[in-house]
């Protein structure tokens, strides 16, 4: 009747932006991500017949804001007639600030809930359930470089390359803390309905996926760097050209990009990517990680830095 799972966030190198089916939360495009190592979310789910409603604590503080989404996810995994649950979530990094906390949360929740419900589910079944809760969550089920693909009226995920087969580093430059103004679910819909660039984004995505997949297969950092930055900037261009416009960047975000460009000019193996928030994720070769960290730390407006390698997918934590 209980289960605990741990999952790490993932950062998309080829982004998911836009939905083809809102009801089922199906992405309009495939995506490729890297699962991180040091950042994590731990979810404990305990079904309890005595409870009248689900209860949630986040980092030991009662929370009702996130609860409806978690309840819906539990209903999908365990069925709506399930007993109510006590859910305890702990997260070692800022929540809802563009660091993919929903990805690690829903990946961990799906795995923990399946265990608590006594269901042995395959990766694709877990991906389908996690993806219904949050599109990017399905990718955190697996480690290393992960591709999410659309299959019929569902999704599937597979590993392109294990974390230790190409051990890149990620330096996260935090330029602002606190939750984002517009959630990505809503922002994607505004983009789909109003951005003049949305259609060409969808049209070109397959090409970007092909390029990134080939770069990962051959460990071609330079090609991966160019395609990831291109894909990221295209995604933000969609948002900037939406009505209302959505600009997640702040002045320090831009300064971090300039720092990365300067490092690239000095021959440092690094590239940037940015999601629906102002933080900059600098993906780099491990031998350049301390140089990248020092340069971003010295960038005006950076309030904190997190460093991580690539890690494994969501897994159960077996307690005594
Ligand atoms: C910019 O997975 O948070 O990080 O499915 O609506 O929950 P929902 O969206 P979410 O969106 C992630 C958007 C992104 C790009 C990416 O991770 O691929």
């Amino acid at each position: 009747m209980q289960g605990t799972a741990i999952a790490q966030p993932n950062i998309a190198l080829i982004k998911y932006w836009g939905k083809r089916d809102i009801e089922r939360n199906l992405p309009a495009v495939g995506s490729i991500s890297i699962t991180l190592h040091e950042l994590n979310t731990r979810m404990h789910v305990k079904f309890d017949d005595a409870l009248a409603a689900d209860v949630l604590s986040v980092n030991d503080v009662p929370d009702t804001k996130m609860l409806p989404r978690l309840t819906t996810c539990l209903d999908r995994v365990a069925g709506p007639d399930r007993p109510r649950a006590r859910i305890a979530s702990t997260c070692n990094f800022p929540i809802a600030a563009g660091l993919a906390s929903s990805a690690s949360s829903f990946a961990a929740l799906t795995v923990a809930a399946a265990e608590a419900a006594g269901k042995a589910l395959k990766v694709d079944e877990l991906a389908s359930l996690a993806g219904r809760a949050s599109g990017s969550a399905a990718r955190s089920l697996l480690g290393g470089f992960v591709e999410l693909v659309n299959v019929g009226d569902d999704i599937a995920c597979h590993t392109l390359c294990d974390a230790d087969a190409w051990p890149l580093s990620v330096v996260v430059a935090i330029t602002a803390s606190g939750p984002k103004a517009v959630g990505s679910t809503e922002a994607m819909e505004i983009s789909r309905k109003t951005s003049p660039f949305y259609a060409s984004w969808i049209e070109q995505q397959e090409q970007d996926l092909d390029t990134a997949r080939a770069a990962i297969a051959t460990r071609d950092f330079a090609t991966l760097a160019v395609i990831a930055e291109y894909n990221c900037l295209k995604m933000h261009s969609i948002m900037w050209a939406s009505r209302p416009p959505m600009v997640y960047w702040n002045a320090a975000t831009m300064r971090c990009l300039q720092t990365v460009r300067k490092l690239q000019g000095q021959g440092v193996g690094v590239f940037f990517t940015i999601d629906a928030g102002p933080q900059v994720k600098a993906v780099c070769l491990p031998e350049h990680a301390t140089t990248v960290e020092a340069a971003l730390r010295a960038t005006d407006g950076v309030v904190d830095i997190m460093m991580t390698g690539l890690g494994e997918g969501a897994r159960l934590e077996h307690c005594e």
Side-chain angles (χ1 to χ4, degrees):
M1 293 286 275
Q2 61 179 312
T4 305
I6 299 181
Q8 284 99 264
N10 68 79
I11 306 287
L13 303 183
I14 303 298
K15 310 283 188 190
Y16 145 50
W17 195 255
K19 299 174 197 289
R20 68 186 158 109
D21 182 334
I22 302 182
E23 196 52 45
R24 294 172 50 90
N25 200 41
L26 293 172
V29 289
S31 52
I32 292 178
S33 60
I34 43 178
T35 302
L36 306 182
H37 177 61
E38 263 82 13
L39 285 55
N40 67 56
T41 303
R42 185 176 176 276
M43 278 278 179
H44 177 71
V45 174
K46 185 173 187 182
F47 291 125
D48 183 344
D49 288 317
L51 283 176
D54 293 333
V55 277
L56 168 69
S57 70
V58 176
N59 294 333
D60 294 325
V61 178
D63 188 301
T64 49
K65 208 164 145 248
M66 278 284 285
L67 188 58
R69 269 180 92 186
L70 272 68
T71 290
T72 307
C73 182
L74 289 184
D75 287 348
R76 282 201 198 100
V77 177
D81 297 333
R82 66 177 172 85
R84 298 300 99 186
R86 244 176 244 291
I87 313 159
S89 161
T90 42
C91 196
N92 72 349
F93 62 98
I95 295 172
L99 288 176
S101 59
S102 66
S104 52
S105 298
F106 285 109
L109 183 70
T110 304
V111 172
E115 170 78 1
K119 291 189 170 183
L121 301 178
K122 297 195 183 76
V123 173
D124 283 347
E125 292 170 306
L126 290 167
S128 179
L129 290 162
R132 292 286 293 266
S134 186
S136 54
R139 298 186 311 235
S140 276
L141 292 168
L142 298 173
F145 293 76
V146 178
E147 178 165 14
L148 184 150
V149 292
N150 275 316
V151 185
D153 64 352
D154 213 330
I155 55 161
C157 285
H158 57 267
T159 304
L160 292 173
C161 170
D162 286 329
D164 51 6
W166 197 14
L168 299 181
S169 297
V170 182
V171 180
V172 183
I174 312 280
T175 64
S177 47
K180 52 193 163 197
V182 188
S184 37
T185 307
E186 189 189 342
M188 282 185 207
E189 275 307 280
I190 296 173
S191 299
R192 184 179 67 81
K193 289 180 187 151
T194 69
S195 180
F197 305 148
Y198 186 78
S200 46
W201 160 257
I202 305 288
E203 209 179 284
Q204 287 177 19
Q205 185 78 345
E206 212 49 53
Q207 225 172 302
D208 291 4
L209 288 164
D210 288 346
T211 306
R213 212 180 293 115
I216 292 163
T218 54
R219 316 285 190 266
D220 179 349
F221 188 82
T223 301
L224 187 62
V226 170
I227 197 66
E229 289 188 353
Y230 174 65
N231 189 267
C232 163
L233 293 177
K234 274 198 296 184
M235 181 186 76
H236 285 278
S237 305
I238 299 172
M239 303 181 200
W240 286 34
S242 292
R243 291 187 167 186
M246 292 166 295
V247 179
Y248 286 105
W249 302 11
N250 58 33
T253 311
M254 192 64 213
R255 281 195 287 269
C256 288
L257 261 55
Q258 288 165 337
T259 298
V260 170
R261 279 283 176 269
K262 201 168 152 201
L263 289 167
Q264 289 170 335
Q266 295 162 358
V268 175
V270 61
F271 65 86
F272 63 79
T273 189
I274 307 161
D275 292 300
Q279 330 304 2
V280 176
K281 291 99 180 194
V283 181
C284 59
L285 296 170
E287 60 269 31
H288 293 157
T290 50
T291 306
V292 173
E293 190 221 338
L296 285 171
R297 204 178 276 284
T299 300
D300 190 23
V302 171
V303 292
D304 202 3
I305 291 276
M306 286 191 259
M307 282 181 76
T308 175
L310 307 192
E312 56 183 323
R315 66 234 168 251
L316 285 170
E317 187 182 74
H318 291 286
C319 312
E320 59 292 341

